Amino acid sequence: MKFLKSFLNKIESVQEAEEFLNFSSKILFCIGILQGILFAFLLGSLSTFYFDPLLMFVFGLVIRFSRSRTASVLLFVYSSIIFIATGLSLLEIIGGVGNNPILALALFLVSIRILYASFKFHFLMKSIFVWKNIWIRNLISIVFAFVTSVILFIFFVFLSRSIGIIQLNNVQGEILLFSFPILYILLLLPFFPWAKKRPMYLPSEKGDLVGT
């Protein structure tokens, strides 16, 4: 009930924005758990769809600990694609996606509010861009994510061939496709050595550094 009230109310303070973002990260964790349960036990396709629950956990972590506007924008784009794909699937225009319209709608609505709350948080904090650090950290994250995803892809290709699977399958393709954005978003967390020394935002009224 408290979350529903905060979901509908206007955010007018940094504390309100923080409380909403913290609770929203828990909602994303719950959505990820529900997706995992559905895919594993009801839809019977955990090997194909476990990236979606993992992505929810990563978004939840980044939003919880970094208040990242970049992550909130990416979450909104991702949830919009899922929501549209689900609608098209229900209309039988496309197939194979959008198996749960309730989760898709919930994620879409939460992502809109997270987008608003994250931008409102930085607006109220009067955050100042540190452009040099933004470019450096994003470049490092992109390079690390790309290299790691390629290594994972090569590893699974060799693993598949070692057990007799010669042709590429959907799982191998999705490892390359989804591991990159997951790793990129995860690397935006302010816990990594290169991130601690390079804050992306600096509040103008406080001396504390803001992560992303």
Side-chain angles (χ1 to χ4, degrees), residues 10-193:
K10 186 177 180 180
I11 295 175
E12 297 180 346
S13 68
V14 173
Q15 182 180 1
E16 290 178 354
E18 284 186 317
E19 289 178 354
F20 181 83
L21 291 172
N22 290 344
F23 197 81
S24 295
S25 65
K26 298 177 183 178
I27 297 297
L28 293 178
F29 294 151
C30 291
I31 291 176
I33 292 172
L34 288 174
Q35 284 180 326
I37 293 173
L38 288 171
F39 294 146
F41 299 105
L42 300 181
L43 303 179
S45 53
L46 178 62
S47 61
T48 306
F49 292 103
Y50 78 91
F51 284 106
D52 288 334
L54 180 59
L55 192 57
M56 287 299 99
F57 283 111
V58 171
F59 272 124
L61 284 173
V62 175
I63 289 170
R64 170 64 178 83
F65 292 106
S66 70
R67 318 297 188 206
S68 173
R69 285 179 283 193
T70 302
S72 66
V73 171
L74 292 175
L75 174 63
F76 173 72
V77 172
Y78 170 78
S79 65
S80 299
I81 294 173
I82 296 298
F83 182 68
I84 293 172
T86 301
L88 294 176
S89 180
L90 291 175
L91 295 173
E92 298 183 351
I93 297 176
I94 61 175
V97 294
N99 294 295
N100 196 307
I102 297 177
L103 276 181
L105 177 61
L107 177 60
F108 178 68
L109 294 176
V110 170
S111 70
I112 293 175
R113 189 64 175 179
I114 288 176
L115 183 67
Y116 165 72
S118 62
F119 275 83
K120 190 71 173 182
F121 170 81
H122 286 284
F123 173 78
L124 294 171
M125 288 286 289
K126 298 183 179 179
S127 301
I128 300 173
F129 285 106
V130 185
W131 286 106
K132 180 180 179 180
N133 292 348
I134 290 174
W135 286 111
I136 292 175
R137 282 181 58 179
N138 275 278
L139 180 61
I140 292 174
S141 298
I142 289 172
V143 171
F144 268 74
F146 177 76
V147 172
T148 306
S149 61
V150 170
I151 291 174
L152 285 173
F153 176 74
I154 294 173
F155 170 76
F156 275 96
V157 169
F158 277 103
L159 181 63
S160 299
R161 291 188 176 183
S162 67
I163 60 177
I165 301 175
I166 299 177
Q167 294 183 342
L168 294 179
N169 54 39
N170 292 335
V171 176
Q172 293 169 338
E174 289 190 355
I175 288 172
L176 183 62
L177 179 63
F178 290 104
S179 60
F180 174 75
I182 289 174
L183 289 168
Y184 167 68
I185 297 168
L186 184 63
L187 290 168
L188 290 175
L189 284 168
F191 306 138
F192 298 98

